[in-house]
Amino acid sequence: QITLKESGPTLVKPTQTLTLTCTFSGFSLSTSGVGVGWIRQPPGKALEWLALIYWNDDKRYSPSLKSRLTITKDTSKNQVVLTMTNMDPVDTATYYCAHSPPTVTTNWFDPWGQGTLVTVSS
Amino acid sequence: QSVLTQPPSVSGAPGQRVTISCTGSSSNIGAGYDVHWYQQLPGTAPKLLIYGNSNRPSGVPDRFSGSKSGTSASLAITGLQAEDEADYYCQSYDSSLSGLEVFGGGTKLTVL
C-alpha cells in the first residue's frame, strides 16, 4: 500500500521561503519510471501542478513558478522536499504530494497525500 | 485561467447519467496526450478516477467511464448516486509554455 504525507509550516510570512517535506512508503523512488509530484490548491479554487521529480533525478517545474521552486529527493529516507521562495499571500493553499507511477505515456498521480494547508500572512 | 476548460458545474438526479467535458487545444489533448480524471470529495484529497483516457483503477466502479476525441475528453457517470457529489478535475500534458502537467478548472457535480 502506497501512502504519502506532507509536512511543513502551516504559517509563513511574506517573502519567506517555504520548505515542505513529503514522506512516503510503499514504493521506492529508485524504481525505474517512478516519480513524486507536488500540486497545490488555493481555498475554493482549482488544482495547480507545481513540480515533479523522477527516479533518475530528472526534475520538471511549472513554467510560471520555475524561478521560485526547487524539488529534491532523498531516496534513503523516502522523502521529497519542495522549496518555494519569496512567498506571497496568493500562495496560500493546500499543498499535496502524490505518487506518479511508471508510464509510457503521460504522468498521472495516484495516490495523493492528505495535503497540508499553508497560509501566507504577516 | 486553466489550460483545460471544464464547465464549473453540472447536476443530475439520482440514477441519471451526467457527462463532464474537458476541452483543450492542439498543444495538449489535441496533440494526443492522455487525459486523466480525479474525484475530490468535500474536504479530502483528490483521488484518481480514470487514467489514460479510459482506464479505471482497481476499485473504481464501472459507472465511471472516460473518453477522448480530438481536443476534448469527457467523463461520464451513470446511475448517479448521492455519494458522487464532488469536484471533478481533468489532467493532461501540455507541450507549450503554459505548463507541463496541467489541470482543468474543476467541475462541481451536484446530485439533486
Side-chain angles (χ1 to χ4, degrees):
Chain A
Q1 178 192 8
I2 292 175
T3 64
L4 307 98
K5 187 172 184 180
E6 307 84 353
S7 60
T10 58
L11 179 66
V12 298
K13 290 180 166 48
T15 75
Q16 286 187 335
T17 293
L18 171 68
T19 299
L20 293 172
T21 300
C22 176
T23 302
F24 57 85
S25 64
F27 70 96
S28 172
L29 203 37
S30 60
T31 299
S32 179
V34 171
V36 171
W38 285 93
I39 303 101
R40 72 177 179 180
Q41 184 174 38
K45 296 189 178 181
L47 301 169
E48 179 184 19
W49 173 74
L50 300 176
L52 179 59
I53 189 165
Y54 292 96
W55 66 283
N56 59 357
D57 211 37
D58 185 16
K59 301 166 187 177
R60 307 293 171 89
Y61 296 101
S62 166
S64 62
L65 294 168
K66 185 175 183 177
S67 64
R68 299 174 54 206
L69 295 173
T70 303
I71 190 169
T72 60
K73 65 180 177 69
D74 186 329
T75 305
S76 64
K77 291 184 178 179
N78 282 352
Q79 290 181 334
V80 171
V81 175
L82 181 76
T83 61
M84 180 179 291
T85 61
N86 194 24
M87 293 292 285
D88 183 273
V90 300
D91 297 313
T92 294
T94 296
Y95 288 75
Y96 297 98
C97 63
H99 167 259
S100 181
T103 172
V104 296
T105 60
T106 57
N107 298 295
W108 65 85
F109 301 102
D110 178 51
W112 296 50
Q114 65 187 26
T116 185
L117 176 61
V118 177
T119 301
V120 184
S121 174
S122 55
Chain B
Q1 194 163 353
S2 302
V3 173
L4 304 178
T5 301
Q6 298 180 234
S9 64
V10 298
S11 62
Q16 284 190 333
R17 177 181 187 270
V18 297
T19 61
I20 298 172
S21 60
C22 175
T23 303
S25 66
S26 58
S27 63
N28 42 69
I29 300 175
Y33 296 115
D34 285 351
V35 178
H36 320 295
W37 291 90
Y38 302 88
Q39 178 193 59
Q40 186 175 32
L41 297 170
T44 69
K47 169 193 164 186
L48 181 69
L49 205 58
I50 297 287
Y51 67 95
N53 304 318
S54 59
N55 301 291
R56 281 187 310 275
S58 174
V60 173
D62 59 7
R63 301 187 296 105
F64 296 89
S65 63
S67 62
K68 188 185 94 166
S69 178
T71 58
S72 295
S74 290
L75 173 71
I77 310 172
T78 59
L80 207 56
Q81 300 180 3
E83 67 204 50
D84 299 332
E85 187 160 294
D87 293 323
Y88 293 83
Y89 293 91
C90 59
Q91 178 229 328
S92 186
Y93 179 88
D94 190 282
S95 58
S96 74
L97 293 178
S98 301
L100 295 176
E101 308 297 342
V102 289
F103 286 92
T107 299
K108 169 67 177 178
L109 168 62
T110 300
V111 181
L112 302 171

